Amino acid sequence: MIAKIAVVLISMVVAYLVGQWRRFSVELSLFLAAFLGAGCGAIFSTPPWQEILRHLVEGSFTYLDVILVFSTATIFMAVLRESGGIDYVVQATMNSLGKIRPLALFILMVIVLIPGALTGAGSVSLLVVGAPVAAALHHLGLSRPRIAAILFILAGLSAAAPPVNIWAMILCAGTAIPYVGFELPLGLPVIFLGTLTIFSLGWRPEKIAEAKENWEKMDIPKGMSWWRIALPFMVLFGLILAYRLWPFNLPVLGLPLQFFLGSITAWLTSPKKLNFFLISRETMVRILPLVSTMVVIGMLQQVMTATGVRGLISYAVISIPLVLLFISLAVIIPISEGVLTYGAAAILGIPLIWYLDSLGYHATVAISGLSLLWPLGDGLPPTALIGRLSVMVSNYEGSYWSFLRKTWFPWIIITLAGILMVIFSAKLSFLVRWSTG
Amino acid sequence: MAKFIMITYYLLTAFIATLFFWNFWQEKKKIDRQILYLLVLIPLLLRLLRIK
Amino acid sequence: MRTKIILLICLVFILIWPAIQLYQHRHFQIPIVAGPGVTRVTKLSHYLPALKGTMADTWIFWLEGQESGGKALILGNSHANEPEGMLAALVVIENGLVERGTLLVIPQFNHSASRATRPGDGYPLYFNIDTKWGKKKFRMGNREASPLDQWPDPDVYLHYPDKQLLSFLDARNVNRTWPGRPKGLLMEQVTYAAMELIRQEKVDLVIDIHGAETMFPVTNCIVAPEKSAKLATMVSLTVKATEKFDNHVEPSPPKFRGLSHREIGDYSDAMPFLLEAPIPFLDQPTGPKTEKFLLDGKDPFLLRLSRKNKLFVPYDETGWPIDKRVGQHLSVTLEILRQYSRRTPERSIIIHNVPRYAEVVEKGVGYYFQDPSQVRRDRIYLN
Ligand SMILES: [Zn+2]
């Protein structure tokens, strides 16, 4: 049986490579891999051939809700940008904070961390505040690739930050460990690593003169004012916070609707008349690669499970000897995230945590450590969800790798911090006790 | 209330599906992108039809 | 233009067959035969009318004895991808004869989840159990309720009433929504209705039957809170001594909210028990997710991992067949009823004709299912 699974795995890899060779997009190559993988599996009737299409279609639903969040959140930001609100915010912030650089950097970091911490999705951070923060960083004299690097790392940390960390939640759900006591083991490293990131990458300006000129020449539409820009955000955060505060008195709206209501507000408060439908349509053109990746990855995940490929990979990881395992975490975790996104936490994370738990490691701290590593993988192909979003919101148009290379320093520090937290999880368990009181 | 919100979600899904379909129709050259638009429509359409 | 139309035709062509398959799965009816012991059949919505007409409403089978005594409630398919619970419940419904007290059985507790498939995990749509008269076909469900019945999910799920943060997925997981609330999410309504049933009917024992991964520490066990721990220990020791299978006791963690073994005990007078049997199909490092694997539990990866001591249950070439899993659940359930009846004779529940472990392993679970085509129409309930 193991040989058959290996054949399927090879067929998927070959299909992907052929797709790349024929210059198909990454998404289409992945789809090809899923399709041929299922076809190859059907030879061994895993799955039966009548079920191939059903598996592909069913898999496409895996991230449907994430797709809706992406779509509505990007529309929200697009409407704000078109109304001139973002330029306005940047100008105002830079006028008041631009002179005290460390404070400006620190505040910008906190602004990026908050939306992701509240929703567990780094993408929300980028979609909501990414563009204005990128603009502000630009006016602090940073180059586009460096801004994208900062946003990418901070967005990843925001997703890991408490109170909501989806990786930790998936692991807790799969290991019967209560999702409690994560405030300090996650919060402290995130604040520390975030500060380190923004200061190390953002301390030294690269090209001051040009930037300053730009921001003073910015064209703000007439009639733009604080309340026009604050109101859509207040609606959005108000709805998210209100559910957190009174969960039993309010109906569940869900993030897509919350973003949509936010964008309607932004549309109504815009000083100039905007074509909501046209803006939305153009937004969808831009996020097609991201959204189609989510659909195709869901299909791929389903096919990998139905054929046993997923099990083979999971088995290979937990069979690695312990010391080697700790070292290889630095590579395995980000790459698995790059290929499978959240699916990786279930496939590798759950067996890994059980294994570590049975060896006497402290599960809560170990999960916290691992969930610092996972977000790094969101910058790696084939999916590179957060990486591509970072590039998108910071308007960087150079090569993807030149952006990714800029992240090396925080990347290494975060990797070290995460792995050390796993190794010394038992010694760090006081963080959990302090969190729960 | 929950029912009303659920209906809103179907409308929202329909809105987004329409956008993707329109873009598919407007995409002139790249057949690659045309296929991706249709792939994204798969879950949206089946949810709208209340099949999955 | 022409390529677009061709592509659209392709899309329709690709969608039509899976769409039919998925639609049929959601609407496939399992005929449940009400056995001779079943005295009446009601619906869960009786305890919360808001559930009426929704996919979350489900059948309750009553097996009432001649003499009055205690009451016990058996829940199957709290997680509809752990079918051993539902199968054990059906064996009781089709065969059990209650002499004293009352047995209430809900075989599809998360009815919506039993009509949903699990995206991303490549399950088969159905599984078949061999019987004397042919195969009985069942839907393979999902752990969470269908989004067609409860949509959208919150960004993070706050458990009622403790406000504990849980993953957004758990808003559709009935084993995280206990004790529920009448005006909450659909799944909170389901657990609330069950709590009302437990409180109004003065149920003494609640047995919630599950399956759990072999790599999961809480497997092959009885999960019990403080109030049911003593009884659970007695049961565990007895089945070990007399029926030679392991089923240890796990304490229900007080900080882990929303689970049946925690909240039912805290919000009613009933004593809850959650039974887990190993279901290798749900493990991560396994081969293809086939119907055969779901039923026989045999897997080469798990076998290797077991040799490296990475599983929490004994595992060999024989796997963990469904008959063994259902048999264990039935024995433990019967033993809970017996031990409770011995300790509180005035609330005793005495039941006959339900097979125990050895018998189910020998004859197979399908042996206990009657042929629906040979049964009077009014004794068949589609679920
Ligand atoms: Zn379960």
Side-chain angles (χ1 to χ4, degrees):
Chain A
M1 184 192 268
I2 296 171
K4 289 177 186 171
I5 298 170
V7 170
V8 178
L9 175 59
I10 292 166
S11 79
M12 292 171 92
V13 174
V14 169
Y16 178 77
L17 293 177
V18 167
Q20 288 291 327
W21 173 63
R22 296 292 321 215
R23 300 195 167 264
F24 292 168
S25 58
V26 175
E27 300 78 33
L28 214 54
S29 307
L30 286 170
F31 176 68
L32 215 59
F35 193 76
L36 284 179
C40 185
I43 299 171
F44 314 114
S45 65
T46 56
W49 65 269
Q50 319 88 293
E51 302 267 302
I52 292 179
L53 289 179
R54 193 266 297 179
H55 280 303
L56 291 174
V57 166
E58 194 176 290
S60 74
F61 279 84
T62 314
Y63 298 105
L64 178 58
D65 290 294
V66 184
I67 291 169
L68 292 181
V69 174
F70 271 8
S71 307
T72 50
T74 328
I75 292 174
F76 173 70
M77 280 322 291
V79 174
L80 275 179
R81 193 181 44 242
E82 293 295 317
S83 73
I86 286 168
D87 291 345
Y88 180 82
V89 171
V90 173
Q91 212 179 42
T93 320
M94 296 315 295
N95 280 336
S96 53
L97 278 177
K99 280 161 203 100
I100 323 163
R101 194 176 179 88
L103 188 65
L105 287 176
F106 188 79
I107 287 181
L108 289 174
M109 175 195 81
V110 173
I111 291 176
V112 179
L113 287 182
I114 288 172
L118 283 178
T119 57
S123 51
V124 177
S125 267
L126 291 177
L127 293 167
V128 176
V129 299
V133 169
L137 287 171
H138 190 63
H139 300 308
L140 283 170
L142 297 181
S143 64
R144 296 285 179 202
R146 187 168 286 196
I147 293 168
I150 291 174
L151 285 180
F152 166 65
I153 297 281
L154 290 184
L157 290 172
S158 80
V164 179
N165 174 323
I166 304 217
W167 295 284
M169 282 177 157
I170 291 173
L171 287 177
C172 284
T175 48
I177 295 161
Y179 183 71
V180 287
F182 281 93
E183 289 85 351
L184 290 178
L186 282 173
L188 288 181
V190 164
I191 296 282
F192 172 75
L193 295 167
T195 313
L196 195 78
T197 304
I198 196 148
F199 283 156
S200 68
L201 287 174
W203 191 262
R204 205 172 302 150
E206 289 165 299
K207 37 166 188 167
I208 310 165
E210 178 234 330
K212 179 138 189 159
E213 224 170 278
N214 256 344
W215 127 56
E216 282 172 349
K217 261 192 270 167
M218 240 193 269
D219 175 34
I220 309 286
K222 245 187 241 135
M224 194 65 204
S225 57
W226 265 114
W227 68 267
R228 284 183 189 273
I229 179 79
L231 208 60
F233 279 100
M234 274 161 58
V235 168
L236 175 67
F237 287 122
L239 289 172
I240 293 175
L241 280 176
Y243 172 70
R244 224 46 75 78
L245 293 173
W246 305 286
F248 312 131
N249 305 317
L250 296 172
V252 170
L253 294 179
L255 280 174
L257 188 54
Q258 288 164 340
F259 273 114
F260 195 72
L261 293 175
S263 35
I264 299 280
T265 318
W267 179 63
L268 290 175
T269 57
S270 163
K272 53 179 177 184
K273 260 212 164 95
L274 298 174
N275 185 336
F276 189 82
F277 202 71
L278 204 66
I279 294 175
S280 308
R281 197 173 78 84
E282 279 159 10
T283 310
M284 293 299 135
V285 174
R286 285 200 302 149
I287 63 167
L288 176 68
L290 285 171
V291 170
S292 54
T293 303
M294 299 313 291
V295 169
V296 173
I297 284 292
M299 294 178 172
L300 191 69
Q301 210 176 305
Q302 171 117 357
V303 169
M304 285 170 78
T305 322
T307 53
V309 168
R310 193 171 119 171
L312 177 69
I313 295 171
S314 168
Y315 169 77
V317 167
I318 49 178
S319 305
I320 300 174
L322 198 59
V323 178
L324 208 62
L325 179 68
F326 284 138
I327 301 168
S328 52
L329 282 182
V331 181
I332 293 175
I333 298 284
I335 288 184
S336 65
E337 176 77 17
V339 177
L340 294 162
T341 72
Y342 289 125
I347 298 167
L348 302 181
I350 292 172
L352 207 61
I353 291 298
W354 284 332
Y355 179 42
L356 293 174
D357 189 56
S358 67
L359 295 174
Y361 290 83
H362 195 284
T364 307
V365 184
I367 291 174
S368 308
L370 288 180
S371 56
L372 292 177
L373 297 181
W374 260 302
L376 295 175
D378 285 331
L380 296 180
T383 56
L385 282 179
I386 303 297
R388 290 197 279 174
L389 267 182
S390 310
V391 170
M392 195 171 101
V393 298
S394 49
N395 285 324
Y396 171 58
E397 275 157 8
S399 91
Y400 187 79
W401 290 108
S402 66
F403 136 73
L404 204 60
R405 267 206 306 275
K406 292 259 190 272
T407 63
W408 71 273
F409 178 69
W411 190 298
I412 289 174
I413 301 289
I414 290 172
T415 305
L416 281 177
I419 293 179
L420 290 176
M421 276 178 75
V422 176
I423 297 176
F424 296 107
S425 54
K427 293 216 170 75
L428 292 170
S429 60
F430 65 90
L431 289 173
V432 178
R433 281 196 303 280
W434 290 357
S435 297
T436 48
Chain B
M1 190 63 194
K3 192 150 216 165
F4 175 73
I5 292 172
M6 212 205 239
I7 292 167
T8 319
Y9 266 80
Y10 283 98
L11 295 176
L12 199 57
T13 311
F15 174 63
I16 290 170
T18 314
L19 295 176
F20 278 118
F21 186 79
W22 190 3
N23 284 343
F24 161 75
W25 204 246
Q26 296 288 319
E27 179 65 58
K28 290 274 143 49
K29 283 179 224 114
K30 290 183 183 149
I31 192 164
D32 192 327
R33 282 182 74 91
Q34 292 176 357
I35 296 175
L36 292 183
Y37 279 123
L38 292 186
L39 284 179
V40 175
L41 278 174
I42 292 178
L44 297 172
L45 284 179
L46 291 189
R47 175 58 53 87
L48 284 174
L49 295 171
R50 283 187 56 82
I51 283 173
K52 172 85 189 95
Chain C
M1 181 72 180
R2 193 197 287 145
T3 42
K4 275 178 201 144
I5 290 173
I6 294 173
L7 281 175
L8 272 179
I9 292 170
C10 284
L11 177 75
V12 173
F13 189 72
I14 288 174
L15 279 187
I16 206 151
W17 181 235
I20 293 171
Q21 284 174 312
L22 290 169
Y23 183 87
Q24 283 176 339
H25 175 272
R26 182 163 159 92
H27 298 275
F28 179 79
Q29 298 287 19
I30 303 170
I32 296 182
V33 177
V38 175
T39 46
R40 60 194 166 108
V41 183
T42 59
K43 285 224 145 182
L44 187 61
S45 53
H46 178 76
Y47 299 91
L48 183 65
L51 288 177
K52 202 168 278 171
T54 69
M55 272 288 195
D57 200 3
T58 189
W59 293 111
I60 309 172
F61 294 82
W62 297 66
L63 288 79
E64 295 157 302
Q66 296 287 328
E67 309 161 50
S68 66
K71 284 194 178 114
L73 170 64
I74 298 176
L75 302 175
N77 264 1
S78 279
H79 292 148
N81 58 344
E82 300 161 3
E84 30 280 281
M86 184 247 314
L87 293 175
L90 292 191
V91 171
V92 174
I93 291 169
E94 293 208 15
N95 300 277
L97 297 169
V98 174
E99 179 187 322
R100 202 180 131 88
T102 303
L103 204 53
L104 298 107
V105 190
I106 305 181
Q108 303 268 26
F109 185 52
N110 192 340
H111 182 254
S112 165
S114 84
R115 293 183 182 277
T117 62
R118 187 172 180 83
D121 275 5
Y123 292 173
L125 289 172
Y126 306 94
F127 62 94
N128 293 279
I129 299 284
D130 287 318
T131 68
K132 293 169 285 188
W133 41 270
K135 286 180 185 297
K136 190 172 168 91
K137 186 174 171 184
F138 296 91
R139 296 185 301 272
M140 180 67 178
N142 188 7
R143 184 178 167 89
E144 290 90 21
S146 169
L148 293 178
D149 305 315
Q150 184 180 315
W151 198 34
D153 293 334
D155 55 331
V156 60
Y157 166 53
L158 283 106
H159 170 255
Y160 175 84
D162 292 81
K163 289 200 179 180
Q164 184 169 91
L165 289 170
L166 293 163
S167 152
F168 63 94
L169 273 178
D170 283 329
R172 282 182 280 128
N173 174 354
V174 286
N175 204 25
R176 295 295 180 279
T177 59
W178 294 95
R181 55 199 172 112
K183 291 205 167 123
L185 301 168
L186 192 61
M187 293 305 116
E188 289 180 313
Q189 296 182 347
V190 167
T191 45
Y192 178 80
M195 282 310 301
E196 280 301 293
L197 161 74
I198 292 164
R199 288 186 285 245
Q200 287 175 23
E201 304 295 339
K202 299 198 169 47
V203 170
D204 304 73
L205 306 167
V206 179
I207 304 168
D208 184 13
I209 311 183
H210 288 249
E213 298 89 334
T214 61
M215 290 191 72
F216 189 47
V218 188
T219 192
N220 211 24
C221 62
I222 309 168
V223 191
E226 312 74 49
K227 70 200 276 195
S228 8
K230 229 178 178 171
L231 191 67
T233 310
M234 281 303 295
V235 170
S236 169
L237 293 172
T238 316
V239 295
K240 170 91 182 155
T242 58
E243 303 187 57
K244 311 281 181 252
F245 68 85
D246 277 311
N247 218 245
H248 68 280
V249 178
E250 284 279 342
S252 158
K255 273 190 186 154
F256 204 168
R257 305 311 305 196
L259 291 123
S260 62
H261 52 73
R262 169 53 39 207
E263 312 291 354
I264 292 175
D266 289 3
Y267 288 89
S268 76
D269 295 328
M271 295 204 287
F273 301 84
L274 188 146
L275 314 189
E276 298 277 19
I279 168 167
F281 183 84
L282 294 187
D283 274 293
Q284 294 292 342
T286 70
K289 304 283 184 189
T290 60
E291 179 191 352
K292 181 175 167 296
F293 176 35
L294 172 65
L295 296 178
D296 68 13
K298 288 182 195 168
D299 184 77
F301 295 118
L302 292 180
L303 192 58
R304 287 167 182 227
L305 288 169
S306 123
R307 294 200 185 117
K308 295 180 188 169
N309 285 321
K310 287 184 183 176
L311 305 189
F312 289 89
V313 289
Y315 192 89
D316 57 27
E317 286 79 4
T318 56
W320 269 92
I322 189 86
D323 303 326
K324 205 165 144 181
R325 277 134 62 186
V326 175
Q328 278 197 3
H329 281 322
L330 287 171
S331 271
V332 172
T333 303
L334 290 174
E335 201 53 41
I336 290 171
L337 299 180
R338 201 177 69 93
Q339 296 282 350
Y340 179 74
S341 304
R342 257 190 20 191
R343 271 183 18 179
T344 38
E346 71 286 357
R347 297 287 298 170
S348 65
I349 305 150
I350 296 169
I351 179 166
H352 304 289
N353 208 34
V354 174
R356 279 183 175 256
Y357 177 68
E359 203 188 321
V360 181
V361 170
E362 187 203 322
K363 293 182 178 155
V365 56
Y367 178 85
Y368 302 95
F369 296 141
Q370 300 175 53
D371 184 353
S373 64
Q374 304 298 316
V375 178
R376 260 176 39 216
R377 273 277 178 79
D378 62 333
R379 297 302 284 171
I380 291 180
Y381 293 85
L382 299 174
N383 206 337

